[in-house]
Structure formats: structure tokens, C-alpha cells
Amino acid sequence: MAAATAVAVLGGSAGATLAVTGLPREHRAQVAHQVWDASKARFSELGSGDDHGKRWQVLLSVWAAPHNRTEAAQQLEAMREFGIPGGARPRLADMVGKTSHYVTLRYGDDPLRPIMFDTVAQWEKLSGDDLQSAAVPLAEEDTEAPERLVVGMAAGTAQQVRCTFDDGTNISVQPLDGLGTPMSWFLCLGPQGARSKTVAVVK
């Protein structure tokens, strides 16, 4: 099974519940051909739950390619207002004609935490069992905690991704279409104390 580390990555607990939502596959072509306002991202929730009384949510956001520097500047401001920190935002000079995407985690009242992100002129083509993933602790302040929150993207044809943790837990999830992107997106949350070991497309 092929696996890769995402281009950009920034880097648990009992009582977590998981809900997963996304766009149905048949809407991919329709969404891909819509005209997007470069200053407004499209969002899809990859997962959410409660952990020690704190709400957490993982969002995929896709930002359309600005046509000029004016649109790029507006997009940068919208990213700032959304909460994307400066170190994860693209440079103004590198934005025109390029699409940005982020997988971000919000945990309680903590600042927004980017997990995976990139700004590209063309989407990377994933096929077969290719995937890119990242694993992080659920709570940012718990830096010594195991990386049990796993997020990533796989080929658009992927039907099932399996996350394996070091305590022997296997979690299989169905990837979700992502806002007109040519890949599918997934999230796994391992049990308390478990650390991500492997991630693979199995179907």
C-alpha cells in the first residue's frame, strides 16, 4: 500500500464521539464547475466530537484561485479572519492562479490549528492506493500525547481507508468527496493513549 507525507503539516483522550459528513460523490463534477468567489472558502466538515468537555471540529476548506493581486489580497484577509495563522498562509506574490486548501482543527477555545495545507497551480494527481496523511494529538496543549487524530487525502476512487494504531486498533472509514477537488478526504480518531501507526487505502 502506498503512503506519503503531506507537503505541509503543522504539528488522546476519553469521551470522544465522531460524526462525519461530506459531499456525495455524484456532486463532484457539478461543484468543480461552479464559479467560486476567491475571497470566500468552501467548507466541508471531516469530523467533530467532544473531548473532556471540549468541542472539536476538523474542517476542509478550499480557496479558489485568485485572478489578480487584488483578489489575492482579499483572500489573504479572509484567511486571516477565518483564523489561519500567518505561518500557514501563502505569500501574496505566490497566490494568483493558485488554489489553496487547508485541513484545520478547532479544539475548544484554542486557536485554529492547520494540520495539512498547500497552495498549488494544479492538484496533485493521486491514483490507486496513493494517499497523503498527517497525525497529531487532539489537544494542542497536550504536546506529549500520542498522535491519535489522523487526517488525509486519497485518490478520488478510494472507497475505504484503514488507520491502524499501536494498540492494535483498526479503524476503517469511507473517504469523502472534497468540494470539487480531484481527491477524497478522510479522518480517523484513535482511542485514548493510542498512537497512529499506519494508514492505507484498502479498497
Side-chain angles (χ1 to χ4, degrees), residues 39-59:
S39 66
K40 297 178 181 178
R42 294 295 180 98
F43 297 95
S44 180
E45 182 181 87
L46 299 184
S48 62
D50 295 285
D51 180 71
H52 291 305
K54 292 187 176 182
R55 187 71 177 168
W56 64 268
Q57 182 186 45
V58 174
L59 288 177

Side-chain angles (χ1 to χ4, degrees), residues 7-41:
V7 173
V9 176
L10 289 183
S13 312
T17 58
L18 179 63
V20 178
T21 60
L23 291 177
R25 291 185 182 277
E26 59 266 22
H27 291 311
R28 172 180 298 171
Q30 176 183 346
V31 175
H33 288 91
Q34 290 178 355
V35 177
W36 292 7
D37 182 344
S39 66
K40 297 178 181 178

